[in-house]
Amino acid sequence: MIAVNPMDSASLLAAFGALGVLVVIFAESGLLVIGFFLPGDALLLPAGVLCAGSGHQAPRLELWQVLVCAAVGAVAGAQIGFLLGRRGGRALLARTSNRRLEEGMTRAEKLLARYGYGKALVIGRFVPMLRTVLHPAAGALGVPTRTFTVWQAVGGLLWSQSLVLAGYTLGSSVPHIEAYLLPLVAVVVALSLLPVLVEARRARRDRRSPSR
């Protein structure tokens, strides 16, 4: 029996392959609370790397399967998150004492107001933690279903397919890159957190500036 750590992308991929990609990306794309703790960016890039053969090593995952599973997980997860938010999002927020969830909902609301529905849904896909709460937030805030569906699908496909293909390109062009998956994941996580840090710094600066 294989012990699986849901926070470890290598463990998930070794145990479940492309199916693990589908389940994790589905949960991270719209299941509040659970999705916060799952690796999204840190799973897709290594999955792409493992689709590329290197030297005498055959590909460990099929590229087409990973691409399809990533796409289905991203699009279906976001749509379920939206429906959950529409049916009970406001009630959930009224009862929750989870500070992380409250902050994420506030950021999602600001993003939707600042950029408009389409742009916000695409940008939000590339921001960790925000993408988990953004889709239920859109449902709770009354974003039209058709508008949401179109733009979340665009964002979900851009995000999931670009990361898998980037990993595949790395795996195909850099010999033995799979030996450096852990540092690679660390770099991906650091880069994906940059928008969060920039936004936090901007918000701190705005609070400090005197009102006019």
Side-chain angles (χ1 to χ4, degrees):
M1 186 174 181
I2 301 174
V4 180
N5 177 2
M7 295 291 293
D8 180 3
S9 57
S11 173
L12 283 166
L13 291 170
F16 302 113
L19 184 59
V21 172
L22 191 156
V23 172
V24 169
I25 298 305
F26 177 90
E28 201 220 19
S29 293
L31 298 186
L32 287 172
V33 182
I34 297 174
F36 277 125
F37 303 99
L38 295 174
D41 300 323
L43 180 68
L44 293 173
L45 196 76
V49 169
L50 295 178
C51 291
S54 58
H56 301 295
Q57 176 116 18
R60 287 180 243 181
L61 297 173
E62 290 288 342
L63 179 61
W64 72 269
Q65 291 179 357
V66 173
L67 287 171
V68 170
C69 286
V72 171
V75 174
Q79 203 68 28
I80 292 298
F82 174 79
L83 294 174
L84 291 174
R86 174 145 291 186
R87 294 196 174 191
R90 287 294 186 186
L92 173 64
L93 285 175
R95 292 194 304 268
T96 186
S97 58
N98 188 317
R99 181 182 166 190
R100 205 172 180 187
L101 179 57
E102 291 175 345
E103 289 176 351
M105 198 71 167
T106 300
R107 288 175 57 214
E109 190 168 1
K110 288 180 179 178
L111 186 72
L112 289 164
R114 181 176 181 181
Y115 293 107
Y117 299 151
K119 198 171 180 181
L121 288 166
V122 174
I123 292 173
R125 277 289 190 171
F126 292 84
V127 183
M129 294 180 285
L130 176 60
R131 65 175 158 261
T132 301
V133 75
L134 179 61
H135 307 128
L141 294 170
V143 175
T145 302
R146 174 184 263 181
T147 300
F148 175 83
T149 302
V150 170
W151 287 107
Q152 72 89 353
V154 170
L157 292 173
L158 283 174
W159 170 65
S160 63
Q161 307 301 279
S162 64
L163 280 175
V164 172
L165 291 173
Y168 179 77
T169 302
L170 272 175
S172 301
S173 56
V174 180
H176 309 297
I177 186 66
E178 68 277 1
Y180 305 96
L181 278 182
L182 194 57
L184 185 62
V185 167
V187 170
V188 172
V189 170
L191 290 175
S192 65
L193 286 174
L194 280 178
V196 178
L197 297 175
V198 170
E199 186 62 33
R201 185 176 180 183
R202 183 184 294 119
R204 195 160 54 243
R205 188 173 61 244
D206 290 344
R207 284 197 300 268
R208 288 176 180 173
S209 62
S211 58
R212 297 181 181 179

